[in-house]
Amino acid sequence: MKKGVLLGFLIMVLAACSSNTPEEYEPIPYTLEIPTLFQQKLLPPVIPANNPLTVEGIALGKKLFFDNILSGTRTQSCAHCHRPQDAFSHAFQFSPGANGNLGTRNSMPLFNNAWNYDELFTWDGKEFSLEGQAFEPVTNPIEMNGNWQDIEQLLNNHDSYPELFRQVFGAGRIDSTMVVKAIAQFQRTLISANSKFDRYLLGQETLTPEELNGFNVFMDEAKGDCFHCHGSDNNPLWTDNQFHNNGLDATFTDLGLGAVTGDPNDNGKFKTPTLRNLVYTSPYMHDGRFATLDEVIDFYSEGLQNSSTIDPLMKNVNQGGVRLSAQDKSDLKAFLLTLTDPEFIRDPAFNR
Amino acid sequence: MRRIFTLFFMAIAFANCNDLDADNEAQVTIQFTHNWDGFVVDDTTFNSFQFQTANGENVSIERLRYVVSQLELVGNRNNNVLTQDYNLVDVGNGTGLQLSSSNVITGDYQLRFRFGLADADNQDGVYQDLNVASFNVPTMLGGGYHYMQFDGKYKDANNQDANFNYHVIRAANVSNPSSPVFLDTSFTVDLGTITIRNDAVIEVEMNVAEWFVNPNTWDLNVLNTVLMPNFNAQLLMSQNGKSVFSLGPVTQ
């Protein structure tokens, strides 16, 4: 009888212990600080219900983003091609992958991507959601050339990762889904909204007459007419996140959206890039063909190539383009440079 | 005999009561459809030169988006149902094509809406969904929003592809920047009376061809692009727009 009681007691203690042991750690919810202009002008950012932001999740995502462990050779991280000092793009036309192979597309800057409401990522929109996108470069042979099985094993046997993952996702084996969720959380915190032009809109700074004229060229349907695709004072993302053929080529080596949808009417269409932080994101276009903004502006002014899928907004293609005066060109460039946000590239939260 | 008559009368009264009871709530869906003189216009008929304007230009449609506002079913018992303050229809993306309102009490309704946004509603930058859709009008032209963005290509006099940007906005003449002239060119569309008996789908048809005719025969060789700052072109568009919408089939 005594033994029985003791046993019962022991069992109770053990039960109490075991219900406590895999101590449920509750990660701290993180609320995105939404910039005033975004709050005023834009719909709320996209944060999937199954991947809410947490302080620990973001920190883990940042660590993974900068960690070579995600590549087959253990020599390359996301940050190799998405460098903080380049506004998370890369100064190379094509970035070498872990094995030194070159792709055919220019690396893209990573910021304000939580405000891409259709959640279509990469130049041709083939990836859905930030979570979905993050699977791709890890295993792409010309990018990080990794193998998820190996990477999961490395992470599970690592001396610090298991604890960090447990804090975010609870107990259990680390898998690739957790990896991409954490990286996506970090990416959603990459927000750039403190350029000279933002401060001008908030009444905190004035623009030079050249910059103001450049903005007018951008907004004037009879001049640059850039705002129909690239945002405006009322769409401070400076992109519509839609796909257009802006007249780079008469024939296409890279079909862009057309290869994804299979619709020939989509051939030569690529996602409109944001015009924020252009100083840091050269070279330009999906194939990085233009090294300077002057080349880009000359292209829109007189270098357009006609094709059946060119966007009708490239209205003067038969005259080569919008034909800007030298003064308007240089003012347009001055305006574009007011979309630069130096604080973004220096932010310690975004640097290793 | 009298009794029978009374009974009969009472029965009718009851039936009527029942009828009143039955004048319950229905779900009403407004469906926007698009055609070119009867031929379907949707994303499957975009991007090919299969339509011809009254003036004889062959046209390919590549983008067709417009705003309707103050959409309401006006009941005859002071029971207006405001279905939507404003709605962006995007034919290419297939969004905004349907609007539904439940709890519509059965009865007679007048269906009306405004094409575009009346001045009082056409405030700069205030609609976040329209900002995100890049539907804004530059401040230099008075701000606010496009009423319609209709982009495509036409065959010019040399049978070469040329672009058109048929963008409808509040008419603005800013040629003298110190005294700009603005005119609200949005307009009300009244589609007549509809009897709602059950759940119903009401089709609102846009005949896209009508933008190019009636009363003004439109010559794309003359009026094709940079129409936003063209005050006179905006007046012509507004006039042509008035015959664009009609009531299609009502299924219930």
Side-chain angles (χ1 to χ4, degrees):
Chain A
M1 180 60 199
K2 240 190 194 167
K3 256 194 196 154
V5 171
L6 202 72
L7 204 76
F9 185 73
L10 256 160
I11 288 173
M12 271 170 72
V13 169
L14 268 163
C17 275
S18 65
S19 74
N20 269 346
T21 20
E23 211 171 285
E24 276 300 322
Y25 182 91
E26 272 299 318
I28 304 160
Y30 180 89
T31 311
L32 267 191
E33 222 178 281
I34 299 178
T36 313
L37 278 176
F38 289 18
Q39 196 94 55
Q40 286 170 0
K41 304 288 186 184
L42 304 174
L43 296 170
V46 180
I47 299 170
N50 68 357
N51 193 20
L53 299 180
T54 63
V55 172
E56 292 83 352
I58 293 162
L60 173 60
K62 178 180 174 184
K63 187 173 162 66
L64 289 164
F65 188 89
F66 287 98
D67 198 331
N68 293 343
I69 199 169
L70 294 183
S71 64
T73 50
R74 320 289 162 231
T75 55
Q76 187 170 56
S77 71
C78 308
H80 272 77
C81 305
H82 300 286
R83 307 193 325 154
Q85 64 268 42
D86 297 337
F88 289 88
S89 70
H90 197 196
F92 288 25
Q93 180 177 18
F94 305 120
S95 311
N99 293 79
N101 300 318
L102 292 184
T104 55
R105 301 241 179 103
N106 185 231
S107 171
M108 303 175 83
L110 306 179
F111 53 80
N112 302 343
N113 275 338
W115 281 265
N116 178 346
Y117 303 96
D118 291 344
E119 294 187 73
L120 296 179
F121 291 99
T122 73
W123 283 107
D124 56 14
K126 67 177 175 293
E127 305 293 343
F128 179 78
S129 86
L130 285 173
E131 283 81 0
Q133 193 283 331
F135 281 112
E136 197 272 344
V138 173
T139 53
N140 188 333
I142 58 165
E143 295 188 282
M144 299 163 86
N145 196 23
N147 169 316
W148 276 117
Q149 268 185 344
D150 298 349
I151 293 165
E152 286 173 0
Q153 196 171 355
L154 282 173
L155 291 170
N156 279 298
N157 298 332
H158 197 269
D159 50 11
S160 56
Y161 273 118
E163 174 58 14
L164 298 174
F165 273 92
R166 194 182 63 79
Q167 287 181 2
V168 182
F169 300 104
R173 213 181 153 276
I174 299 169
D175 64 22
S176 57
T177 306
M178 298 176 184
V179 174
V180 298
K181 278 187 169 176
I183 293 178
Q185 285 193 38
F186 170 61
Q187 286 194 70
R188 290 197 175 92
T189 67
L190 301 177
I191 299 173
S192 172
N194 190 15
S195 67
K196 181 177 185 184
F197 198 83
D198 295 310
R199 293 191 299 276
Y200 161 72
L201 291 178
L202 293 167
Q204 300 162 351
E205 197 154 351
T206 50
L207 298 184
T208 67
E210 291 76 22
E211 291 163 346
L212 274 174
N213 181 51
F215 177 54
N216 284 341
V217 171
F218 187 91
M219 298 298 290
D220 190 340
E221 202 191 15
K223 290 191 170 180
D225 192 6
C226 316
F227 73 97
H228 277 112
C229 300
H230 278 292
S232 67
D233 48 339
N234 281 313
N235 179 349
L237 299 173
W238 300 99
T239 170
D240 59 0
N241 279 315
Q242 301 296 308
F243 299 84
H244 306 272
N245 170 359
N246 66 341
L248 288 171
D249 296 301
T251 54
F252 313 114
T253 43
D254 185 340
L255 296 183
L257 181 67
V260 178
T261 61
D263 181 350
N265 292 314
D266 290 334
N267 285 355
K269 294 187 183 174
F270 293 88
K271 190 165 73 175
T272 313
T274 176
L275 299 183
R276 282 184 181 273
N277 296 317
L278 289 169
V279 196
Y280 310 123
T281 64
S282 70
Y284 307 108
M285 305 298 170
H286 68 272
D287 54 6
R289 70 177 65 188
F290 298 131
T292 66
L293 281 180
D294 298 297
E295 287 173 66
V296 173
I297 292 170
D298 286 347
F299 154 73
Y300 279 113
S301 189
E302 50 264 342
L304 298 183
Q305 300 294 314
N306 210 349
S307 64
S308 66
T309 62
I310 193 170
D311 198 289
L313 290 166
M314 298 286 114
K315 51 186 178 284
N316 291 334
V317 58
N318 292 335
Q319 290 85 53
V322 288
R323 306 212 150 253
L324 300 175
S325 70
Q327 185 64 53
D328 281 349
K329 281 184 182 180
S330 93
D331 291 354
L332 176 57
K333 180 176 164 187
F335 157 68
L336 291 174
L337 295 178
T338 68
L339 300 173
T340 308
D341 176 0
E343 203 182 68
F344 173 69
I345 66 159
R346 282 196 232 110
D347 193 328
F350 306 147
N351 280 273
R352 189 197 300 269
Chain B
M1 177 65 198
R2 236 204 205 149
R3 267 222 190 115
I4 290 175
F5 189 79
T6 318
L7 208 75
F8 184 70
F9 184 76
M10 275 181 75
I12 289 179
F14 260 103
N16 260 336
C17 274
N18 270 345
D19 239 350
L20 277 180
D21 270 353
D23 102 353
N24 261 335
E25 300 186 334
Q27 157 126 355
V28 175
T29 302
I30 314 263
Q31 166 115 36
F32 295 92
T33 66
H34 308 84
N35 68 84
W36 188 288
D37 290 335
F39 293 94
V40 171
V41 171
D42 62 14
D43 58 336
T44 65
T45 48
F46 273 26
N47 304 307
S48 73
F49 288 90
Q50 52 181 301
F51 305 115
Q52 196 176 55
T53 65
N55 199 52
E57 280 87 49
N58 289 327
V59 163
S60 160
I61 301 173
E62 304 203 353
R63 193 179 292 112
L64 181 55
R65 324 192 277 170
Y66 59 94
V67 167
V68 293
S69 63
Q70 300 172 4
L71 191 125
E72 39 181 5
L73 289 165
V74 188
N76 53 8
R77 287 180 276 179
N78 268 345
N79 52 333
N80 288 18
V81 185
L82 182 70
T83 311
Q84 196 82 8
D85 288 343
Y86 66 91
N87 176 50
L88 176 66
V89 178
D90 187 329
V91 180
N93 283 352
T95 51
L97 294 172
Q98 276 197 349
L99 291 177
S100 282
S101 195
S102 44
N103 315 330
V104 177
I105 299 170
T106 52
D108 286 352
Y109 287 90
Q110 214 184 342
L111 172 57
R112 64 180 184 215
F113 60 85
R114 182 168 276 271
F115 175 77
L117 291 161
D119 268 359
D121 296 328
N122 200 7
Q123 306 291 323
D124 194 50
V126 297
Y127 305 117
Q128 294 171 324
D129 53 343
L130 298 185
N131 296 342
V132 161
S134 289
F135 219 57
N136 310 80
V137 168
T139 319
M140 58 172 77
L141 287 177
Y145 295 90
H146 286 69
Y147 301 163
M148 180 168 80
Q149 181 184 14
F150 175 19
D151 293 317
K153 294 177 182 142
Y154 68 98
K155 296 285 183 190
D156 69 11
N158 305 319
N159 204 32
Q160 229 196 340
D161 289 9
N163 299 305
F164 69 84
N165 306 135
Y166 196 113
H167 292 200
V168 187
I169 64 170
R170 160 176 45 206
N173 183 347
V174 293
S175 53
N176 180 358
S178 59
S179 61
V181 180
F182 298 109
L183 184 68
D184 184 346
T185 38
S186 67
F187 52 86
T188 302
V189 177
D190 193 331
L191 293 179
T193 302
I194 299 159
T195 307
I196 304 290
R197 280 180 242 104
N198 284 306
D199 290 355
V201 178
I202 304 170
E203 231 179 87
V204 174
E205 298 180 340
M206 177 198 270
N207 182 354
V208 182
E210 285 287 318
W211 286 110
F212 298 103
V213 69
N214 191 14
N216 310 297
T217 303
W218 196 274
D219 186 348
L220 277 171
N221 293 291
V222 179
L223 292 172
N224 39 58
T225 58
V226 199
L227 303 178
M228 294 175 76
N230 185 334
F231 190 87
N232 200 44
Q234 292 300 330
L235 297 187
L236 300 176
M237 292 173 179
S238 181
Q239 288 162 5
N240 280 9
K242 285 171 187 128
S243 56
V244 154
F245 291 98
S246 60
L247 182 65
V250 180
T251 36
Q252 52 183 343

